[in-house]
Amino acid sequence: MARERQTLSRRSLLGGAAGAVTLTGLAAGTASAATRSADVAIVGGGLAGLTAARDLVAGGASVVVLEARDRVGGRVVNLKLANGGVTEGGGEFIGPTQNRIKALADSLGVATFTTYNTGNNLLYKDGKKTPYATDGLLGSVPPIDVAGLANAAAVQAELDGMAKQVPVDAPWTAAKAEEWDRQTFETWLRANAVIPSAKFLLDVACTSIFSAEPRELSLLYVLFYIAAAGDESHPGTLERLTDTAGGAQESRFVGGSQQVPIKLAATLGDRVVLNAPVRSIAKSGSQYVVTADGLTVNARRVVVAVPPPLAARITYDPLLPAARDQLGQRLPMGSIGKAIAIYDTPFWRADGLNGQVVSDSGTVRSTFDNSPPDASYGALMGFIEADQMRALDGASADQVRAAVLKDYATYFGDKAKSPTSFLLQRWDNEGFSRGGPVAYAPPGVLTQYGAALRAPVEGIHWAGTETSTYWTGYMDGAVRSGERVAKEVLPTL
Amino acid sequence: MARERQTLSRRSLLGGAAGAVTLTGLAAGTASAATRSADVAIVGGGLAGLTAARDLVAGGASVVVLEARDRVGGRVVNLKLANGGVTEGGGEFIGPTQNRIKALADSLGVATFTTYNTGNNLLYKDGKKTPYATDGLLGSVPPIDVAGLANAAAVQAELDGMAKQVPVDAPWTAAKAEEWDRQTFETWLRANAVIPSAKFLLDVACTSIFSAEPRELSLLYVLFYIAAAGDESHPGTLERLTDTAGGAQESRFVGGSQQVPIKLAATLGDRVVLNAPVRSIAKSGSQYVVTADGLTVNARRVVVAVPPPLAARITYDPLLPAARDQLGQRLPMGSIGKAIAIYDTPFWRADGLNGQVVSDSGTVRSTFDNSPPDASYGALMGFIEADQMRALDGASADQVRAAVLKDYATYFGDKAKSPTSFLLQRWDNEGFSRGGPVAYAPPGVLTQYGAALRAPVEGIHWAGTETSTYWTGYMDGAVRSGERVAKEVLPTL
């Protein structure tokens, strides 16, 4: 499936010949190399772009959403199973304080259900498996040495405390912004998570959250991300990022998370155009000419709702200001894949396991039970993160499958070796993502370039989860950014 | 002048309508939207691309060089003065062990002359000017406290020693590569350059060399860059990067450094096509279709000889491997401008000054005497680096001029306030550079992605100074990379 999608996308990369194809069943046909006009051209049909479109239309504006892929949703995608079920290749979870994605889903009639979380977690460390109980809202206590637990708890409290000093709308104004932005998260962890088992827990947390290693991240960026894991009434905490119950992995969407962008796009009808990767944005008098493969849109304003490193690949005329361009050179995507193995039953549940692993080795070091609410079949979902993903980016799908199933068997026994089907979503290899889940900031970027993240460039406005003040990197952040950018653009029309 | 060039480049950014224009006086006319065929299409007409073209042609291959600008030379450009003279807006110096640019210049009849270096350097620190003698090959000893000098010398020795452990062709294989790549240069400096005056000297060295702040750079990358400041017989040293006499700033080119690419391009005739920014590279059977504005080239091989962040903006079909794409997301350009003030005479020489300043404040913190060999007029050249450049990227040319001349007057007296002309080259604002002098590596990049720097992707090969093992970031590295890539491609034809 994933492969099929990619082939289609590649075909559209070839450009002119193919022509833009509109959303089947929703959109009126659009002729090849056609021209349309709208108040606002929106680049990217993920949650950010679609939410912006919804609010702009509600405000009386006309819009065209140009989506590069042959589907909406961006980093949110459903994968159909041979057994008729659905699982998710991208963002899938929703948790407390993620109010804007919740409100959007509610408005579209997409319900949520609780992530399977009954039974024990599993720690795999130094070649040994240890089940351990999870502890609801207060987080779980992994079976590591007492000194390590104490150290990890102290580090967590320290990070939360520092994060409280970081304004989510302007992290670069924190009193210690310079100090925190001049070092890697790894440097700070080595000075603070001094017990090896504590360092291990923080490392796993880091790669699980960012799909990047601690050495790649600015400490200030990590603190901002923690601060952003909340809302106006609830300061962000590290635990809200890492937890299942009470945290960002608490719930899932009935029918799969892509139901949200799919249903949202349906309300927009032929305003959404697929297979239309945008190549250039040129100002012409008071108008912008937005050129996609097969379709040109003339618009008074442009909303760019794709990740910064991809936005940087569009040709702008006039050129973007240096600060914005250099920002686009400095926010790389993390490296991530998702592997979902399907079984006749969620057999690990009978062993008292909730399907959630934390591991110090292997290709997959973090897993979830992705089975449907009725448990009519079993699904083990594993993240392949950062160094582990990069090591396999060039490998064949079969090689990745073998590496993943070896890990699943280590964690859950030999039954895991024989799934009825196996799905793999490799975001690094997707031309219109080239990594995931989010573009992160290395040291020195937020303090020098952070202000360029949301600053409009004349009539060009910026959306996408990276521009959100709360829940950046999550579906909620994407929705928030779409709502914010619509509020920004409407008064200028 | 710079402005004029940029306007032309922008016009060509608009694309199709303008059509590709060949090098006036050299090249036969090329029709708009024309097609050409060659064994090798070369993207970028800087020293790397032109050198590759020279060697490929010498090896019997046919080539077309596609240059985005209306001139050759890339980050090397002559600026013409109203008085008939020439100065340089980009790379201008040449020094010992830079053998390949020297051989190229010799072969083209471009002579060198010694950078003006007679008289005292000037230290401006804590609001006070102190002239000090330079000390030839052993480097200069700035008038700072003895403890600071001792500390700076120890740090320099330590860096050189560590650099000796970094293989220039594979820095990621150094025994301590992981340790050095997980921290910023700033983190290491703070632990080692503990005397404030020593830290100041190292900071100035860093921004002068990289046009980036120590907090932005991986320690491993800095060590690699030092190791690369030499040749097969002379291990690189920090001093060779920073020194005038005996170092990378030792000499200049008669007629301006751009004489080298201009004369080299002249030997290639209509193989070089200007105003032809490449937008896509698509494989079609055993051929590559390289599409530039106004010209399409069919070729068996492609050499991409532009900086990695700009190479990442080309559309590739099939997609590049993830490692190569994510490398392109992770190597940003430094932030740099050059300001050259022209005077009737090099008046500072009468005060016993060589025109070289090291300063702890102001917009320009490092200057050179850029006067011609016959001193028929005076030229003060100042670098605007990193944080200082970013602070002024959005400022008007007049504002930058005022800031620069204020600094020049502080350093050299009131006469500096009234130049006969003033030239400003703002690399961050150039669409086909978007920064300079070189794309640098933040923490974690070399160890995970370094191997993708030069690895060919089927028939696509990579050149440019960033890919060089010696003198990366310099003209010499560009020439070396062109020679290497030609050797790589020829046997495959």
Side-chain angles (χ1 to χ4, degrees), chain A residues 13-14 182 184 190 312-313 315 317 320 325-326 329-330 333 335 387 390 434 440 443 448-449, chain B residues 13-14 182 184 190 312-313 315 317 320 325-326 329-330 333 335 387 390 434 440 448-449:
Chain A
L13 259 175
L14 286 172
R182 72 184 178 219
T184 61
R190 283 183 173 261
R313 297 177 179 188
T315 300
D317 177 43
L320 292 179
D325 189 289
Q326 292 200 340
Q329 299 177 40
R330 281 163 170 79
M333 304 298 285
S335 302
D387 284 355
R390 292 186 278 243
R434 301 259 60 171
Y440 66 83
Q448 283 292 313
Y449 296 97
Chain B
L13 257 176
L14 286 171
R182 72 185 179 219
T184 62
R190 285 183 171 259
R313 296 176 179 189
T315 300
D317 176 42
L320 291 179
D325 189 288
Q326 293 200 340
Q329 298 177 39
R330 282 163 170 78
M333 304 297 286
S335 303
D387 283 354
R390 291 186 278 244
R434 301 260 58 172
Y440 66 83
Q448 283 293 313
Y449 296 96

Side-chain angles (χ1 to χ4, degrees), chain A residues 285-491:
Chain A
S286 63
Q287 291 275 107
Y288 285 90
V289 181
V290 181
T291 306
D293 290 356
L295 179 64
T296 297
V297 177
N298 296 306
R300 294 167 61 199
R301 301 287 180 270
V302 183
V303 170
V304 178
V306 299
L310 300 186
R313 297 177 179 188
I314 296 169
T315 300
Y316 298 84
D317 177 43
L319 296 175
L320 292 179
R324 174 68 209 190
D325 189 289
Q326 292 200 340
L327 175 77
Q329 299 177 40
R330 281 163 170 79
L331 293 179
M333 304 298 285
S335 302
I336 189 172
K338 279 180 85 177
I340 304 104
I342 307 299
Y343 305 91
D344 289 334
T345 63
F347 58 86
W348 51 91
R349 296 184 183 181
D351 299 327
L353 298 175
N354 64 10
Q356 292 167 48
V357 168
V358 170
S359 172
D360 68 352
S361 55
T363 291
V364 168
R365 301 183 180 192
S366 165
T367 64
F368 284 88
D369 180 332
N370 243 27
S371 309
D374 64 2
S376 54
Y377 59 90
L380 272 181
M381 183 273 280
F383 286 109
I384 315 175
E385 313 265 20
D387 284 355
Q388 281 69 53
M389 188 70 262
R390 292 186 278 243
L392 290 173
D393 272 336
S396 71
D398 282 349
Q399 287 170 318
V400 179
R401 176 191 158 114
V404 169
L405 292 182
K406 181 167 171 287
D407 291 341
Y408 286 6
T410 300
Y411 306 145
F412 299 107
D414 278 354
K415 276 187 199 163
K417 282 185 184 165
S418 309
T420 57
S421 65
F422 184 86
L423 297 99
L424 184 60
Q425 185 80 15
R426 308 172 75 167
W427 291 99
D428 298 10
N429 294 345
E430 293 255 324
F432 298 117
S433 291
R434 301 259 60 171
V438 60
Y440 66 83
V445 177
L446 279 183
T447 44
Q448 283 292 313
Y449 296 97
L453 250 178
R454 279 183 301 275
V457 176
E458 299 189 40
I460 304 176
H461 298 252
W462 311 98
T465 193
E466 285 83 1
T467 71
S468 186
T469 49
Y470 285 106
W471 289 109
T472 180
Y474 290 75
M475 290 186 272
D476 191 62
V479 173
R480 285 172 188 265
S481 80
E483 293 175 340
R484 185 261 311 152
V485 85
K487 282 202 194 83
E488 200 176 272
V489 170
L490 275 173

Side-chain angles (χ1 to χ4, degrees), chain A residues 151-161 188 202 237-240 242:
Chain A
N151 187 199
V155 164
Q156 183 175 343
E158 179 75 8
L159 286 170
D160 284 349
W188 187 88
L202 270 299
T237 64
L238 178 58
E239 194 176 322
R240 205 178 287 118
T242 57

